[in-house]
Amino acid sequence: RLVGTSCLTNEFRSSETYFRLTHTVLLVVGYTGSKIFQELLLSGFVGNEGGTVAIAARRLDALQALKVRMAGETSQIGLIEADTSDLESLRRMARQARVCINAVGPFRFHGRQVVSACIQEGCSYLDICGEPEFIEAVELEYDDEARAKGVFVASACGFDSVPVDVANALVRRAFPPKRCCSVETFIELHSGPSGLVLHYPTYASAVHGLGSVEKLRAIRKELRAKRTAEVSKSTHPVPMRRAGSYADEVHKYVIPFIGADASVVKRSEKASGFHPSTYVYMCLPSKFRLWQFGLYGSLFKLLANYEFGRSLLLSYPKLFCPIVSKQGPSPDQLRETSFKVTVVGKGFLQDKDDGDKAPADTIRLEVSGPEPGYLTCSICIVAAAKVLVRGELRSMPGGVYTPATLLMTKETSFLRLVKERGLTFDWGQHEAGERYSIQ
């Protein structure tokens, strides 16, 4: 039986814990992890996929309470004592697993130990991280080791950044090779009467991320020096839209999206050997929202550059971002919230790109789904875990991947899995795109 997550106490939601599927999946959980666990149960993963879930934490009594509240007394869910500060305890968990789902954040503080333990023990690793510094540091530090071990490692497998990364890959593939000149992505969040909520761990990750821009630049410099594969670029580059401009494609005002999606998409493009002009925007419905976002955003960015400012941001989150909550969204907010990602690609479907003519063809893909931060996040990472558990990537070498490069081979069932759980992919009437929509 499955008992609703409303039974979870706030104390447990904020504790540092881990979920694992013996022989398959390890999860690190707080509030977000409880939603992922719920998705594992609701999607038929437990039992049907040939494994038993184990959850691990420093407090076994809290784990037992969570297990009983969400899944009853089933023998398919075990308990393990572990701690992120204890590498050996993480290795003991990873030793028994095939796939690890890490849902703890900020990842810059808790993630590396889990990645290291998984690779050392031959356990593939997935997470829901939206922190570019951590994501790219993992590629820099662990790609060679993961390849040698035959282990798959992929960050940003939740709402950050599966819908955007996968949709961009689909649009690029709808064009003939190297004939897609530009791809623009527009992210829309829709809320109901109960409003939107930003969970505090996500907010805290953003604070620390904006405060370590120089570290990210250093990581990217090392990655560029390490990469040897040649990457060709679009012959028709387009400039980034001005912040606050109006986009006719979505009938909204847009600003550059500061999350991980753009960097993840560009890593996917470089892995494919072709890099069109690529931009990701956040949509705002009115000039008032644009002004409001600009005011809060400018102050947030300024303070995040200084240690004292970061302390203020973390100590008084609602003062600087009124929608932040340490409790997570309410059931009404989860039910009322949804997202839409619109990807517009321009290029040449039939005509030869001679470098002089402007792109003649446009392909548009819209991806929609339920509440993004917890429901869509859980749908995406559980589907990714299923792909790995089923052995659908056995022909691929190990290494550090983006979601699209890992999950969008024709052999995987990933798109079908997320569609079955509520995500939609709308190509309109474009046949060139529809043939890639599901395998």
Side-chain angles (χ1 to χ4, degrees):
R1 66 189 179 93
L2 175 65
V3 180
T5 54
S6 60
C7 297
L8 295 176
T9 64
N10 292 335
E11 178 184 6
F12 190 86
R13 285 176 175 172
S14 63
S15 65
E16 179 187 295
T17 57
Y18 305 84
F19 281 110
R20 210 185 91 208
L21 186 55
T22 305
H23 307 307
T24 49
V25 178
L26 159 70
L27 280 156
V28 186
V29 69
Y31 179 82
T32 306
S34 70
K35 293 298 182 185
I36 297 175
F37 186 34
Q38 183 180 42
E39 176 63 19
L40 280 169
L41 298 170
L42 291 174
S43 66
F45 199 131
V46 179
N48 292 342
E49 298 293 338
T52 57
V53 172
I55 52 178
R58 292 175 296 185
R59 289 179 48 207
L60 294 182
D61 58 334
L63 287 176
Q64 177 63 26
L66 177 65
K67 171 188 171 181
V68 171
R69 286 168 182 159
M70 295 192 70
E73 297 290 351
T74 175
S75 61
Q76 293 181 322
I77 300 174
L79 308 178
I80 299 175
E81 186 174 310
D83 193 314
T84 51
S85 62
D86 182 353
L87 179 61
E88 186 54 40
S89 71
L90 296 176
R91 292 188 64 177
R92 282 196 299 269
M93 291 190 300
R95 200 170 294 143
Q96 305 172 62
R98 287 174 55 195
V99 180
C100 162
I101 297 177
N102 184 358
V104 72
F107 286 82
R108 69 184 65 246
F109 302 132
H110 302 288
R112 277 182 171 84
Q113 302 93 311
V114 185
V115 176
S116 178
C118 286
I119 294 176
Q120 289 178 48
E121 300 301 333
C123 169
S124 290
Y125 171 94
L126 303 172
D127 68 39
I128 56 171
C129 179
E131 305 165 35
E133 181 191 334
F134 173 81
I135 294 170
E136 297 181 41
V138 166
E139 179 183 359
L140 178 65
E141 296 173 22
Y142 293 106
D143 184 50
D144 292 339
E145 188 178 352
R147 287 177 181 274
K149 286 276 192 175
V151 168
F152 298 106
V153 176
S155 290
C157 291
F159 181 71
D160 291 325
S161 300
V162 167
V164 171
D165 194 27
V166 166
N168 270 261
L170 289 170
V171 168
R172 290 195 305 272
R173 294 179 190 182
F175 288 92
K178 299 185 179 182
R179 303 273 283 278
C180 176
C181 300
S182 66
V183 185
E184 293 185 296
T185 301
F186 305 91
I187 302 173
E188 299 178 52
L189 301 180
H190 303 288
S191 61
S194 303
L196 286 171
V197 162
L198 178 65
H199 202 198
Y200 181 79
T202 303
Y203 170 84
S205 296
V207 172
H208 292 295
L210 286 175
S212 59
V213 172
E214 291 304 318
K215 291 182 180 179
L216 178 58
R217 287 175 180 161
I219 290 169
R220 287 177 173 171
K221 183 177 180 180
E222 289 189 63
L223 278 173
R224 285 194 296 271
K226 184 178 180 180
R227 291 175 179 139
T228 57
E230 185 175 337
V231 179
S232 57
K233 296 184 178 181
S234 169
T235 55
H236 295 81
V238 299
M240 177 181 284
R241 296 172 187 252
R242 180 176 55 84
S245 60
Y246 189 81
D248 292 327
E249 291 86 348
V250 289
H251 306 294
K252 296 286 191 302
Y253 295 94
V254 298
I255 58 173
F257 184 59
I258 63 172
D261 291 18
S263 64
V264 171
V265 168
K266 288 175 182 178
R267 287 173 60 229
S268 294
E269 291 172 345
K270 290 173 183 177
S272 73
F274 179 65
H275 179 33
S277 295
T278 303
Y279 304 105
V280 181
Y281 302 98
M282 172 62 72
C283 297
L284 298 170
S286 66
K287 287 187 176 180
F288 173 74
R289 292 297 184 195
L290 184 65
W291 174 85
Q292 189 179 42
F293 193 93
L295 177 64
Y296 280 105
S298 298
L299 182 58
F300 184 95
K301 186 175 181 180
L302 175 65
L303 291 174
N305 285 323
Y306 305 97
E307 185 175 351
F308 174 73
R310 291 192 292 273
S311 178
L312 282 177
L313 290 168
L314 295 171
S315 299
Y316 306 99
K318 279 192 170 294
L319 182 62
F320 302 101
C321 185
I323 64 172
V324 172
S325 168
K326 292 188 177 182
Q327 308 304 320
S330 68
D332 286 341
Q333 288 168 329
L334 288 174
R335 184 176 61 256
E336 295 168 1
T337 305
S338 62
F339 79 91
K340 181 168 74 172
V341 168
T342 302
V343 179
V344 180
K346 296 183 179 181
F348 300 88
L349 288 173
Q350 303 296 335
D351 297 335
K352 182 180 179 181
D353 178 6
D354 58 13
D356 295 325
K357 292 191 298 183
D361 302 293
T362 299
I363 292 179
R364 179 187 179 106
L365 171 60
E366 294 181 358
V367 182
S368 302
E371 188 281 328
Y374 306 97
L375 303 186
T376 292
C377 170
S378 300
I379 289 169
C380 291
I381 198 160
V382 168
K386 286 186 176 183
V387 167
L388 292 176
V389 168
R390 293 172 175 177
E392 296 177 9
L393 303 177
R394 60 174 60 92
S395 63
M396 290 175 58
V400 177
Y401 289 83
T402 64
T405 56
L406 182 70
L407 302 169
M408 293 305 295
T409 66
K410 292 185 178 180
E411 290 77 19
T412 77
S413 58
F414 180 77
L415 284 177
R416 178 177 60 79
L417 291 170
V418 296
K419 281 191 169 188
E420 288 174 351
R421 296 297 297 155
L423 270 64
T424 63
F425 293 74
D426 183 6
W427 293 92
Q429 303 300 315
H430 211 293
E431 295 180 0
E434 181 60 31
R435 50 186 179 146
Y436 290 98
S437 64
I438 196 164
Q439 299 296 335

